[in-house]
């Protein structure tokens, strides 16, 4: 016992000396840094939370396999915010890059109202609107963003009636004596990407209208040392922008929209680009060492929001629980079960959208059912019982716009021409010609294509019901209504005939389908196949040192 006590005392003494030495070394390093005039600033970025307030299943790729882990939670993110601010007091700036108030049941049922009290309690310094912030109408967007009690920044959204800019175009933060400037832009194509009725009353202008004068104003007149663009444009356009001389003077593009998990900044000619994933599953952390207003060193980390590592902040969690309480019973209602994982993330085809389009074709009896290539929705993963419930909340995650089902007819030639256009939107060689989400989803049709072929020459084969597509035949098609579009449009496809809006919604279809089937087991089955890309396709970024994982 005496020997053990001696050993214990010796260990404590060693630990104490080590701790003292460590503290002394840290103090010496801090003193040295101050003597050299180097200051560290930290930028924390979230993006594309899509209404996901609570921890949820998230998909990762490890050793070529899909694995699922519990991640996310805005109260868990607040814990990260507080920890990083404690590490770098007075030197941290926190931003959200948009698409916050859409994408979940609680978001839809409250029309975004639940987010005001939550964001007000969090440590964000400013936020920007994303392309989906308009989903409940332009006035509701204004009301919800105002309820944050935080600065909202955007340089290209204007009020249609007054023609005034809706929000300040930039924000300047002075941190440790260093002037930081942040200019923000939303996607100019919002009125096209979303149902046109959503953004009625707003004008979305191009970046070229004011980006160079704003950069000049911040750099020359306001004396900003480090300049950021916070853009909700998608990774392809953000990388393109980083190579354009018009942004000379910008150091970083804090990108958003495409849910890419950038773990190492992508270097353009004039700026570096990052994007921090989605669904509150990740926080981007950029640390910059600055001397005399110049960046002398940098570090970047994509923080994995693991609830086991970052427990929920109790203050924010209490607010989240209170905001969600009125909707909880409705959200937890079970509609059916799945025995296979349901997820998106795949550019060409995925099990979740296969189930949705199969359900539409089952209900309507059409030859082909189609759906947008949505990026959002968290995975639904069977547990040890071999099944997972599909709840009312899950249906809102999958389909956050509950529109009526619409049917119509189109010739085989129309369908092929439209698929060529949609494939070009996804795989265009020129980034500015890329548009919207991933490859359109469908049921009842099989298609092979070459993603890297020239425009108009990508489709290699299309079959419907097992037979080659007949260019002269009229095929029946089912899709969702997009309010504000002409009657002849079907899911962005023009000139359909005999169109009809049915008296039930897409959610009605999914609920009826699950009630009928009980348990589903959707998989990818090769209904869409890129012949010149390795499967599965996880990103639209060609010729870049980046892997989605």
């Amino acid at each position: 016992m005496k020997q053990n006590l001696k050993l214990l005392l010796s260990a404590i003494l060693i630990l104490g000396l080590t701790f003292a030495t460590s503290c002394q070394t840290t103090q010496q390093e801090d003193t040295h840094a101050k003597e050299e005039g180097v200051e560290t600033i930290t930028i924390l970025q979230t993006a594309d939370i899509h209404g996901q307030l609570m921890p949820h299943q998230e998909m990762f790729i490890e050793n070529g396999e899909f694995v699922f882990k519990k991640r996310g939670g805005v109260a868990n993110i607040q814990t990260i915010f507080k920890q990083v601010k404690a590490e770098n007091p007075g030197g941290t700036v926190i931003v959200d890059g948009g698409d916050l108030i859409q994408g979940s049941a609680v978001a839809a049922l409250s029309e975004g109202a639940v987010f005001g009290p939550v964001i007000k309690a969090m440590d964000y310094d400013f936020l920007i609107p994303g392309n989906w912030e308009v989903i409940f109408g332009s006035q509701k967007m204004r009301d919800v963003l105002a309820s944050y009690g935080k600065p909202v920044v955007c340089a290209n959204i204007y009020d249609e009636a007054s023609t005034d800019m809706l929000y300040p175009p930039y924000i300047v933060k002075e941190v440790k004596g260093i002037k930081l400037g942040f200019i923000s832009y939303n996607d100019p194509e919002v009125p096209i990407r979303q149902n046109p009725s959503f953004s009625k009353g707003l004008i979305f202008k191009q970046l070229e209208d004011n980006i160079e004068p704003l950069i000049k104003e911040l750099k020359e007149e306001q004396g900003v040392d480090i300049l950021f663009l916070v853009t909700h444009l998608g990774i392809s356009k953000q990388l393109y922008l980083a190579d354009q001389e018009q942004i000379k003077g910008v150091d970083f593009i804090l990108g958003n929209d495409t849910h890419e998990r950038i773990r190492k900044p992508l270097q353009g000619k004039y700026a570096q680009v990052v994007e921090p994933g989605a669904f509150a599953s990740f926080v981007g952390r950029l640390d910059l060492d600055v001397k005399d207003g110049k960046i002398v060193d940098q570090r970047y980390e994509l923080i994995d929001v693991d609830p086991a590592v970052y427990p929920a902040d109790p203050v924010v969690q209490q607010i989240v629980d209170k905001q969600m309480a009125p909707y909880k019973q409705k959200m937890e209602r079970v509609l059916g079960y799945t025995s296979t994982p349901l997820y998106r993330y795949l550019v060409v085809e995925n099990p979740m959208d296969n189930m949705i389009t199969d359900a539409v074709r089952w209900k309507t009896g059409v030859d082909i059912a189609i759906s947008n290539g949505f990026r959002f929705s968290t995975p639904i993963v069977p547990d040890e019982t071999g099944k997972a419930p599909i709840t009312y909340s899950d249906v809102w995650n999958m389909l956050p716009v509950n529109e009526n089902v619409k049917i119509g007819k189109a010739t085989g030639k129309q369908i092929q021409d439209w698929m060529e256009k949609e494939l070009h939107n996804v795989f265009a060689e020129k980034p500015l010609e890329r548009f919207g989400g991933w490859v359109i989803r469908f049921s009842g049709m099989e298609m092979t294509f070459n993603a890297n072929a020239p425009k108009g020459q990508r489709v290699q084969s299309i079959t419907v019901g097992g037979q080659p597509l007949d260019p002269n035949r009229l095929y029946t098609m089912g899709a969702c209504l997009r309010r504000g579009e002409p009657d002849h449009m079907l899911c962005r496809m023009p000139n359909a005939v005999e169109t009809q809006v049915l008296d039930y919604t897409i959610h009605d279809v999914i609920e009826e389908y699950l009630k009928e089937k009980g348990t589903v087991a959707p998989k990818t089955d090769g209904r869409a196949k890129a012949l010149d890309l390795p499967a599965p396709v996880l990103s639209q970024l060609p010729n870049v040192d980046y892997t989605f994982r």
Side-chain angles (χ1 to χ4, degrees), residues 54-292:
M54 298 291 290
H56 51 79
Q57 291 292 327
E58 187 57 272
M59 190 179 89
F60 296 83
I61 294 88
E62 296 180 358
N63 300 317
E65 300 291 329
F66 297 156
V67 297
F68 301 92
K69 304 174 184 179
K70 196 169 188 178
R71 292 294 182 264
V74 293
N76 308 79
I77 282 179
Q78 175 65 5
T79 297
I80 293 173
F81 290 173
K82 290 170 74 173
Q83 286 185 11
V84 173
K85 288 178 74 173
E87 290 172 23
N88 190 7
T92 303
V93 178
I94 305 175
V95 56
D96 179 76
D99 277 7
L100 171 60
I101 69 172
Q102 169 269 5
S104 70
V106 72
L109 296 174
S110 71
E111 293 193 325
V114 299
F115 298 99
V118 175
I119 298 303
K120 188 175 286 188
M122 296 180 72
D123 285 351
Y124 285 106
D125 288 288
F126 71 99
L127 302 94
I128 80 166
N131 62 288
W132 278 104
E133 250 70 37
V134 298
I135 186 170
F136 308 117
S138 62
Q139 187 56 53
K140 188 68 72 172
M141 180 192 82
R142 300 181 202 209
D143 295 343
V144 172
L145 270 58
S147 73
Y148 294 163
K150 312 276 184 180
V152 175
V153 179
C154 190
N156 68 327
I157 302 181
Y158 292 76
D159 177 77
E160 188 174 39
S162 67
T163 68
D164 293 334
M165 192 178 285
L166 206 60
Y167 299 107
Y170 59 75
I171 189 170
V172 176
K173 304 282 290 184
E174 187 157 339
V175 176
K176 294 184 175 181
I178 303 157
K179 265 195 170 183
L180 310 177
F182 301 85
I183 308 172
S184 161
Y185 288 94
N186 200 343
D187 189 344
E189 295 171 338
V190 165
I192 305 171
R193 288 180 63 180
Q194 269 65 267
N195 295 14
S197 62
F198 294 169
S199 55
K200 188 176 180 181
L202 301 177
I203 298 170
F204 290 76
K205 294 191 177 182
Q206 298 294 325
L207 278 65
E208 291 79 7
D209 286 0
N210 61 11
I211 191 167
E212 289 181 274
L214 288 175
I215 291 171
K216 184 177 181 181
E217 180 178 336
L218 285 171
K219 295 295 286 187
E220 297 181 11
E221 297 176 25
Q222 300 219 25
V224 162
D225 297 305
I226 302 171
L227 185 54
F228 301 85
L229 293 182
V230 188
T231 56
H232 200 96
L233 303 173
I235 195 65
S236 297
K237 292 178 181 178
Q238 284 151 180
L239 278 173
Y240 170 84
L241 193 60
D243 286 335
Q244 305 310 304
E245 190 173 4
Q246 64 182 338
I247 70 150
K248 192 173 182 180
V250 172
D251 297 283
F252 285 88
I253 296 176
L254 305 179
N256 311 272
D257 181 50
T258 30
H259 306 184
E260 299 288 359
R261 302 171 184 177
I262 305 296
R263 299 173 188 273
K264 174 185 170 185
L266 303 175
Q267 181 67 61
K269 185 175 181 180
Y270 295 99
Q272 299 177 60
V273 182
V274 296
E275 193 170 304
F279 310 128
S281 300
F282 305 93
V283 175
R285 175 175 179 167
L286 174 64
D287 290 291
L288 300 175
D289 294 335
V290 182
K291 181 178 180 180
D292 298 327

Side-chain angles (χ1 to χ4, degrees), residues 68 337-343 350-352 355 379-383 386-390 519-524:
F68 301 92
Y337 295 85
T338 180
S339 59
T340 57
L342 295 182
Y343 53 87
N350 65 63
M352 186 174 285
M355 183 195 76
I380 305 169
V381 184
D383 59 16
K387 291 184 180 181
I390 302 173
T519 299
V520 295
K523 297 179 181 178
T524 54

